[in-house]
Coordinates of all heavy atoms in Angstrom, one line a residue:
S165 N -55.9 -35.6 12.5 CA -56.7 -34.7 11.7 C -58.2 -35.0 12.2 O -58.9 -34.0 12.4 CB -56.6 -35.1 10.3 OG -57.4 -34.4 9.5
E166 N -58.5 -36.2 12.5 CA -59.9 -36.6 12.9 C -60.2 -36.1 14.3 O -61.2 -35.5 14.5 CB -60.2 -38.1 12.8 CG -60.1 -38.7 11.3 CD -60.3 -40.1 11.3 OE1 -60.3 -40.8 12.3 OE2 -60.4 -40.6 10.2
H167 N -59.3 -36.3 15.1 CA -59.5 -35.7 16.6 C -59.5 -34.2 16.7 O -60.1 -33.8 17.5 CB -58.6 -36.5 17.5 CG -58.9 -37.9 17.7 ND1 -59.9 -38.3 18.6 CD2 -58.2 -39.1 17.3 CE1 -59.9 -39.7 18.5 NE2 -58.9 -40.2 17.8
A168 N -58.7 -33.7 15.8 CA -58.7 -32.2 15.8 C -60.0 -31.6 15.5 O -60.5 -30.6 15.9 CB -57.6 -31.6 15.0
R169 N -60.7 -32.2 14.4 CA -62.0 -31.8 14.0 C -63.1 -32.0 15.1 O -63.9 -31.0 15.3 CB -62.4 -32.5 12.8 CG -61.6 -32.1 11.5 CD -62.3 -32.5 10.2 NE -62.3 -34.0 10.1 CZ -61.3 -34.6 9.5 NH1 -60.3 -34.0 8.9 NH2 -61.4 -35.9 9.4
A170 N -63.0 -33.2 15.8 CA -63.9 -33.4 16.9 C -63.7 -32.5 18.1 O -64.6 -31.8 18.8 CB -63.8 -34.8 17.4
Y171 N -62.3 -32.2 18.4 CA -62.1 -31.3 19.4 C -62.5 -29.9 19.0 O -63.0 -29.1 20.0 CB -60.5 -31.2 19.5 CG -59.9 -30.6 20.6 CD1 -59.8 -31.3 21.9 CD2 -59.2 -29.3 20.5 CE1 -59.2 -30.6 23.0 CE2 -58.6 -28.7 21.6 CZ -58.7 -29.4 22.8 OH -58.0 -28.7 24.0
R172 N -62.5 -29.4 17.9 CA -63.0 -28.1 17.5 C -64.3 -28.0 17.7 O -64.8 -26.9 18.3 CB -62.7 -28.0 15.9 CG -63.1 -26.5 15.4 CD -63.0 -26.6 14.0 NE -63.3 -25.2 13.4 CZ -64.6 -24.7 13.2 NH1 -65.6 -25.5 13.6 NH2 -64.8 -23.5 12.7
K173 N -65.1 -28.9 17.6 CA -66.6 -28.9 17.9 C -67.0 -28.8 19.3 O -68.0 -28.1 19.6 CB -67.3 -30.1 17.2 CG -67.2 -30.2 15.7 CD -68.0 -31.6 15.2 CE -67.8 -31.7 13.7 NZ -68.5 -32.8 13.1
A174 N -66.1 -29.4 20.1 CA -66.4 -29.3 21.5 C -65.8 -28.1 22.3 O -66.2 -28.0 23.5 CB -65.8 -30.6 22.2
L175 N -65.0 -27.3 21.6 CA -64.4 -26.1 22.3 C -65.5 -25.0 22.8 O -65.1 -24.4 23.7 CB -63.5 -25.5 21.3 CG -62.1 -26.2 21.1 CD1 -61.3 -25.5 20.1 CD2 -61.4 -26.4 22.4
K176 N -66.6 -25.1 22.2 CA -67.6 -24.1 22.7 C -67.8 -24.1 24.0 O -68.1 -23.1 24.8 CB -68.9 -24.2 21.8 CG -70.0 -23.2 22.1 CD -71.2 -23.3 21.2 CE -72.2 -22.2 21.5 NZ -73.4 -22.4 20.6
Q177 N -67.9 -25.2 24.7 CA -68.1 -25.4 26.1 C -67.1 -24.9 27.0 O -67.2 -24.8 28.2 CB -68.4 -26.9 26.4 CG -69.6 -27.6 25.6 CD -69.7 -29.0 25.9 OE1 -69.8 -29.5 26.9 NE2 -69.7 -29.9 24.8
A178 N -65.9 -24.6 26.4 CA -64.8 -24.3 27.2 C -64.6 -22.7 27.3 O -63.8 -22.2 28.0 CB -63.4 -24.8 26.7
F179 N -65.4 -22.0 26.5 CA -65.3 -20.5 26.5 C -66.7 -19.9 26.8 O -67.8 -20.4 26.5 CB -65.0 -20.1 25.1 CG -63.6 -20.4 24.7 CD1 -63.3 -21.7 24.2 CD2 -62.6 -19.6 24.7 CE1 -61.9 -22.0 23.9 CE2 -61.3 -19.8 24.2 CZ -61.0 -21.1 23.8
A180 N -66.6 -18.8 27.5 CA -67.8 -18.1 28.0 C -68.4 -17.2 26.7 O -67.7 -17.2 25.7 CB -67.5 -16.9 29.0
K181 N -69.7 -16.9 26.8 CA -70.3 -16.3 25.6 C -69.7 -15.0 25.2 O -69.5 -14.6 24.0 CB -71.7 -15.9 26.1 CG -72.7 -17.2 26.3 CD -74.0 -16.8 26.6 CE -75.0 -17.9 26.7 NZ -76.4 -17.5 27.1
E182 N -69.1 -14.3 26.2 CA -68.4 -13.0 25.7 C -67.0 -13.3 25.1 O -66.2 -12.4 24.7 CB -68.3 -12.1 27.0 CG -67.4 -12.6 28.1 CD -68.2 -13.4 29.1 OE1 -69.4 -13.8 28.7 OE2 -67.7 -13.6 30.3
E183 N -66.6 -14.5 25.1 CA -65.2 -14.8 24.5 C -65.3 -15.3 23.1 O -64.5 -16.1 22.8 CB -64.6 -15.7 25.4 CG -64.2 -15.3 26.8 CD -63.6 -16.4 27.7 OE1 -64.1 -17.5 27.8 OE2 -62.4 -16.1 28.2
R184 N -66.2 -14.8 22.3 CA -66.3 -15.3 21.0 C -65.0 -15.2 20.1 O -64.7 -16.2 19.4 CB -67.5 -14.5 20.4 CG -67.6 -14.8 18.8 CD -68.7 -14.0 18.1 NE -70.0 -14.4 18.6 CZ -70.6 -15.5 18.0 NH1 -70.1 -16.1 17.0 NH2 -71.8 -15.8 18.4
D185 N -64.3 -14.1 20.2 CA -63.1 -14.0 19.5 C -62.1 -15.0 19.8 O -61.5 -15.6 19.1 CB -62.5 -12.6 19.6 CG -63.3 -11.5 19.0 OD1 -64.2 -11.9 18.1 OD2 -63.0 -10.4 19.3
A186 N -61.9 -15.3 21.2 CA -61.0 -16.4 21.7 C -61.5 -17.7 21.1 O -60.6 -18.6 20.8 CB -60.8 -16.3 23.1
L187 N -62.8 -17.9 21.2 CA -63.3 -19.2 20.9 C -63.0 -19.4 19.3 O -62.6 -20.6 18.9 CB -64.8 -19.3 21.1 CG -65.5 -20.5 20.4 CD1 -65.0 -21.8 20.9 CD2 -67.1 -20.4 20.7
E188 N -63.2 -18.4 18.5 CA -63.0 -18.6 17.0 C -61.4 -18.8 16.8 O -61.2 -19.6 15.8 CB -63.5 -17.4 16.3 CG -65.0 -17.3 16.2 CD -65.6 -18.5 15.7 OE1 -65.3 -19.1 14.6 OE2 -66.5 -19.1 16.3
A189 N -60.6 -18.1 17.5 CA -59.2 -18.3 17.3 C -58.8 -19.8 17.7 O -57.9 -20.5 16.9 CB -58.5 -17.4 18.2
A190 N -59.4 -20.4 18.7 CA -59.1 -21.6 19.1 C -59.6 -22.7 18.0 O -59.0 -23.6 17.7 CB -59.6 -22.0 20.5
R191 N -60.8 -22.3 17.5 CA -61.3 -23.2 16.5 C -60.4 -23.2 15.2 O -60.3 -24.2 14.6 CB -62.9 -22.8 16.2 CG -63.8 -23.2 17.3 CD -65.2 -22.7 16.8 NE -66.3 -23.4 17.6 CZ -67.6 -22.9 17.6 NH1 -67.9 -21.9 16.8 NH2 -68.5 -23.6 18.2
D192 N -60.2 -22.0 14.9 CA -59.3 -21.8 13.7 C -57.9 -22.7 13.9 O -57.4 -23.3 13.0 CB -58.8 -20.4 13.4 CG -60.1 -19.6 12.9 OD1 -61.0 -20.2 12.5 OD2 -60.0 -18.3 12.9
Q193 N -57.5 -22.7 15.2 CA -56.2 -23.2 15.4 C -56.3 -24.8 15.3 O -55.5 -25.6 14.8 CB -55.6 -23.0 16.8 CG -54.2 -23.5 17.1 CD -53.3 -23.0 16.0 OE1 -53.2 -21.9 15.8 NE2 -52.5 -24.0 15.4
A194 N -57.5 -25.4 15.8 CA -57.8 -26.8 15.6 C -57.9 -27.2 14.2 O -57.5 -28.3 13.8 CB -59.1 -27.1 16.4
E195 N -58.5 -26.4 13.4 CA -58.7 -26.5 11.9 C -57.2 -26.5 11.3 O -57.1 -27.4 10.5 CB -59.6 -25.6 11.3 CG -59.9 -25.8 9.8 CD -60.8 -24.9 9.4 OE1 -61.5 -24.1 10.1 OE2 -61.1 -25.0 8.1
A196 N -56.5 -25.7 11.7 CA -55.2 -25.6 11.1 C -54.3 -26.9 11.4 O -53.6 -27.4 10.7 CB -54.4 -24.3 11.7
L197 N -54.5 -27.4 12.7 CA -53.8 -28.6 13.1 C -54.3 -29.7 12.1 O -53.5 -30.6 11.8 CB -54.1 -28.9 14.5 CG -53.6 -30.2 15.1 CD1 -52.0 -30.5 14.8 CD2 -54.0 -30.4 16.5
S198 N -55.6 -29.8 12.0 CA -56.3 -30.9 11.2 C -55.7 -30.8 9.7 O -55.4 -31.9 9.2 CB -57.8 -30.9 11.2 OG -58.3 -31.8 10.4
D199 N -55.6 -29.6 9.2 CA -55.1 -29.5 7.8 C -53.6 -29.9 7.7 O -53.3 -30.6 6.8 CB -55.3 -28.1 7.4 CG -56.7 -27.7 7.1 OD1 -57.6 -28.7 7.0 OD2 -57.1 -26.4 7.1
A200 N -52.8 -29.5 8.8 CA -51.4 -29.8 8.8 C -51.2 -31.3 8.7 O -50.3 -31.9 8.1 CB -50.7 -29.1 9.9
A201 N -52.1 -32.0 9.7 CA -51.9 -33.4 9.8 C -52.2 -34.2 8.5 O -51.6 -35.1 8.0 CB -52.8 -33.9 10.8
E202 N -53.3 -33.5 7.8 CA -53.6 -34.1 6.5 C -52.5 -34.0 5.4 O -52.3 -34.8 4.6 CB -54.9 -33.5 5.9 CG -56.2 -34.0 6.5 CD -56.4 -35.5 6.2 OE1 -56.1 -36.0 5.0 OE2 -56.9 -36.3 7.0
T203 N -52.0 -32.8 5.5 CA -50.7 -32.5 4.5 C -49.7 -33.6 4.8 O -49.0 -34.1 3.8 CB -50.3 -31.1 4.7 OG1 -51.3 -30.2 4.4 CG2 -49.1 -30.9 3.8
L204 N -49.3 -33.8 6.1 CA -48.3 -34.7 6.4 C -48.6 -36.1 6.0 O -47.9 -36.8 5.4 CB -48.2 -34.7 8.0 CG -47.2 -35.8 8.6 CD1 -45.8 -35.6 8.0 CD2 -47.3 -35.7 10.1
R205 N -49.9 -36.5 6.2 CA -50.3 -37.9 5.7 C -50.2 -38.0 4.3 O -49.7 -39.1 3.8 CB -51.8 -38.1 6.2 CG -52.4 -39.4 5.7 CD -53.8 -39.6 6.4 NE -54.3 -40.8 5.8 CZ -55.2 -40.8 4.8 NH1 -55.4 -39.8 4.0 NH2 -55.6 -42.1 4.4
S206 N -50.5 -37.0 3.5 CA -50.4 -36.9 2.1 C -48.8 -37.2 1.7 O -48.7 -38.0 0.8 CB -51.0 -35.8 1.4 OG -50.9 -35.8 0.1
R207 N -48.1 -36.3 2.4 CA -46.6 -36.5 2.0 C -46.1 -37.9 2.2 O -45.3 -38.3 1.4 CB -45.7 -35.4 2.8 CG -46.1 -34.0 2.4 CD -45.5 -33.5 1.2 NE -44.0 -33.4 1.4 CZ -43.3 -32.8 0.5 NH1 -43.8 -32.2 -0.6 NH2 -41.9 -32.8 0.6
I208 N -46.4 -38.4 3.4 CA -45.8 -39.8 3.7 C -46.4 -40.8 2.7 O -45.7 -41.6 2.2 CB -46.3 -40.1 5.1 CG1 -45.5 -39.2 6.1 CG2 -45.9 -41.6 5.4 CD1 -46.1 -39.4 7.5
R209 N -47.7 -40.7 2.4 CA -48.3 -41.7 1.5 C -47.7 -41.6 0.1 O -47.5 -42.6 -0.6 CB -49.8 -41.4 1.4 CG -50.5 -42.3 0.3 CD -52.0 -42.2 0.3 NE -52.5 -42.7 1.6 CZ -52.9 -44.0 1.7 NH1 -52.7 -44.9 0.8 NH2 -53.4 -44.4 2.8
S210 N -47.2 -40.4 -0.3 CA -46.6 -40.3 -1.7 C -45.1 -40.7 -1.6 O -44.5 -40.6 -2.7 CB -46.8 -38.9 -2.2 OG -46.1 -38.0 -1.4
G211 N -44.6 -40.9 -0.5 CA -43.1 -41.2 -0.3 C -42.3 -40.0 -0.4 O -41.1 -40.2 -0.6
K212 N -42.8 -38.8 -0.3 CA -41.9 -37.5 -0.3 C -41.4 -37.3 1.1 O -41.9 -37.7 2.1 CB -42.8 -36.4 -0.8 CG -43.4 -36.5 -2.2 CD -44.3 -35.3 -2.5 CE -44.8 -35.4 -3.9 NZ -45.7 -34.3 -4.4
P213 N -40.3 -36.6 1.2 CA -39.8 -36.1 2.5 C -40.8 -35.3 3.1 O -41.6 -34.5 2.6 CB -38.6 -35.3 2.1 CG -38.2 -35.6 0.7 CD -39.5 -36.1 0.0
A214 N -40.8 -35.5 4.4 CA -42.1 -35.0 5.3 C -41.5 -34.4 6.6 O -42.3 -34.1 7.5 CB -43.1 -36.0 5.5
S215 N -40.2 -34.2 6.9 CA -39.8 -33.8 8.1 C -40.2 -32.3 8.4 O -40.6 -32.0 9.5 CB -38.2 -33.7 8.2 OG -37.7 -32.9 7.2
G216 N -40.5 -31.5 7.5 CA -41.0 -30.2 7.6 C -42.4 -30.2 8.0 O -42.8 -29.4 8.9

Side-chain angles (χ1 to χ4, degrees):
S165 182
E166 291 178 351
H167 285 287
R169 288 195 293 269
Y171 191 76
R172 180 185 184 282
K173 292 178 182 178
L175 283 177
K176 185 176 181 180
Q177 300 175 55
F179 290 81
K181 289 183 179 180
E182 62 272 17
E183 296 180 303
R184 173 178 289 275
D185 289 345
L187 170 60
E188 288 307 311
R191 282 177 165 173
D192 288 346
Q193 189 56 56
E195 186 173 354
L197 173 58
S198 179
D199 291 345
E202 280 297 325
T203 299
L204 173 61
R205 178 174 177 268
S206 177
R207 293 279 296 191
I208 294 169
R209 178 172 288 277
S210 66
K212 295 178 180 178
S215 55

